[in-house]
Every structure is written in structure tokens, then in C-alpha cells.
Amino acid sequence: MPAETRGLRVTRAVAAGFDGHSAAALHPDLRVFTGDLVRPYGLPLREDLLTEGAGHDYGEMAAGLFAQALPGGEPADLLILAFSSPDVRPAAPSSLRLSRHCPGQPTAFAVCDQGSATAFAALRIAAAHHRTGGCRRAVIVLAEQSALHHRPAEPVELPAEHRAVVLVCEEAQEEGMRVRGQAEPDGAQALRSVLDEHRRLGPGARLLLAADLARGDLPDGAEAARPGQPFTGVWSLLADRPADRPAGHRPLLVADHDRRLGRLSTLTLP
């Protein structure tokens, strides 16, 4: 079902990749937590990654991006941390720590366990919060780190690098963003649905596709994210394009498809 709002739009996006690892990746609590998590399923730990301290802290990754995402210390009312791959600080509420670094010290919480649809869920939550009248500016942090400290039960695509994206959503006078999600197990059909929506937006509309969706010849105005970043890829592509658009600028459609969950998600900025 669509979730729509008037007035709240993604106006800014900042992305960065990160090298190295966080001290938290060597903390003994990570081994204990991960061991407790996978023991009922008989999944082995990745002792090599735990020993070398592989992985990055989402709080550390995102905190340094706020100055660029919120120039001049613009205060936020809401902060949402969205992620798909696990953080290396499982016992720490990273969203609350991030709130202390974010101008305005906004209300903060996290969403996860929805695959690539998690980012769109965060946008829907921000839109719903805006409708209450208590949110003029929302900050959404999307993060993924490349280390998985246990062997998965089935093959999964892990990120090629640690990466974070900060989306700033602000109140505006024009029509707000539209966020949609639907069950779509087949990737080829998901792409056809996206291309149909792109055509409905009219000539000149822009289209940003996650790498998993891009196949065959793409229409004019369409760009595909680089492979290797299953969660942040298409949003990093958005960060490379100006999100602030003058009145009358062409519409923008962002689309991602989660093959494992069979979920198609789109964001439309009319």
C-alpha cells in the first residue's frame, strides 16, 4: 500500500565509504552476542573475523557526516538509523548515540530486518511522523559494514566496503515524497513495474536503480548503482546527484528490489 505525504521531501544526501575497523569489533561482547544469536541454528562463528576485529561501528561511520548533511548546525526533529547487515556494537543503541551528535538532539530509533526495503520503511516512518505536526526535518542514516561474524545459513551478498549515507528530509510547500512497497518475487517483473512507473512520470523523469534491478538496456534518464553495496548502493547514487531541485525540475524515481524477500520498493519525488 502506498504511504504518501505532502510537504516532506528528501532534499539532501551525503555518502561516504570507510576503511579499517572500529575498536568495537574487538570487544568480547561481540563474540558472546553473535554466539548466542546463532547457536540455536547450529551456525559457526567466523573466528577469523572476530580475531582480527573486522567490521565498523555504524555510530562512528555516520557521526562524521552530520556536519556536511546539516550545514550550519540545522537542527533535526527525528533521526532514524536503518541497516540490513548487523552492527558491531550489538548491545549499544547506536541511534541514541547518533542523536547526541546530531544538531537538535532529535528523537531517535532504529529499523532493521527488512532487507533493502528497510531504507524505504524509514522514509515512510519519517513521513508519518511529519503528518503529526512534530517533524519539520528528519535525518535518516543508512549504513552497512562488510563483516558478517558468522557463516550464514544460505549465500548472502555482503557489502564490498563499509559505507554510510545520510538522507535529510525537510518540510516543503510542494507535493511531498511518495514511498511504495509491494510483493514482487520476480526481478524481471519488478524492473518492468519500475519502468512503467518511470514512463508515467513523463518525459525527462530521472530513474535511479539498485544494481540488482539493472538489466538490459535502460531508458533515457535512468542510472544504475554500482554493484557491491546491496543496501546503500542506490542511495549513494542519489548522493552523487543534487536532491535539491528548483520548481519545475523533472521528477525522480528511486527503486530497489530485495530478491531474498521478494520485495520491490520505490521512492518518488514528483
Side-chain angles (χ1 to χ4, degrees):
M1 295 295 291
E4 303 184 12
T5 183
R6 288 187 175 273
L8 196 69
R9 302 172 67 92
V10 178
T11 59
R12 207 170 303 142
V14 175
F18 297 84
D19 297 323
H21 59 87
S22 297
L26 284 168
H27 197 286
D29 283 352
L30 178 59
R31 179 189 297 273
V32 173
F33 177 88
T34 307
D36 289 345
L37 185 71
V38 303
R39 190 173 298 110
Y41 307 100
L43 301 176
L45 296 176
R46 285 291 304 272
E47 295 291 349
D48 54 338
L49 300 182
L50 290 165
T51 299
E52 69 186 57
H56 222 299
D57 179 339
Y58 290 157
E60 290 180 11
M61 290 165 62
L65 299 180
F66 287 150
Q68 187 178 353
L70 298 166
E74 300 169 345
D77 303 302
L78 176 69
L79 184 148
I80 304 174
L81 171 63
F83 57 95
S84 179
S85 51
D87 198 353
V88 297
R89 293 177 63 100
S94 294
S95 57
L96 300 183
R97 291 191 296 116
L98 277 173
S99 178
R100 292 195 289 269
H101 291 282
C102 183
Q105 296 192 347
T107 299
F109 57 93
V111 292
C112 61
D113 294 333
Q114 299 178 48
S116 64
T118 306
F120 298 86
L123 289 167
R124 284 197 299 272
I125 292 169
H129 197 65
H130 172 261
R131 287 195 293 271
T132 70
C135 179
R136 296 174 61 88
R137 181 179 291 115
V139 173
I140 297 175
V141 175
L142 312 174
E144 60 184 343
Q145 56 95 17
S146 63
L148 183 63
H149 296 90
H150 65 86
R151 297 197 181 277
E154 60 185 53
V156 296
E157 181 186 4
L158 293 176
E161 68 170 354
H162 313 312
R163 195 160 185 83
V165 181
V166 175
L167 305 178
V168 179
C169 303
E170 297 178 295
E171 191 174 61
Q173 294 303 313
E174 64 268 30
E175 183 180 359
M177 61 186 178
R178 298 195 297 267
V179 187
R180 292 185 170 91
Q182 65 186 60
E184 189 56 81
D186 182 75
Q189 179 56 48
L191 177 58
R192 287 193 289 271
S193 297
V194 171
L195 295 180
D196 287 344
E197 178 63 23
H198 180 237
R199 282 191 289 270
R200 284 193 290 271
L201 291 175
R206 294 186 297 165
L207 171 61
L208 303 183
L209 291 167
D212 183 56
L213 266 176
R215 59 189 72 191
D217 295 330
L218 297 178
D220 291 340
E223 297 178 77
R226 62 186 176 93
Q229 302 299 138
F231 187 67
T232 63
V234 72
W235 304 105
S236 295
L237 189 60
L238 178 64
D240 291 337
R241 310 294 182 270
D244 271 319
R245 301 172 303 142
H249 203 290
R250 51 186 179 161
L252 171 65
L253 177 65
V254 179
D256 204 338
H257 179 247
D258 192 301
R259 287 177 295 172
R260 294 177 63 244
L261 299 181
R263 191 75 180 170
L264 172 65
S265 303
T266 61
L267 162 70
T268 305
L269 294 177

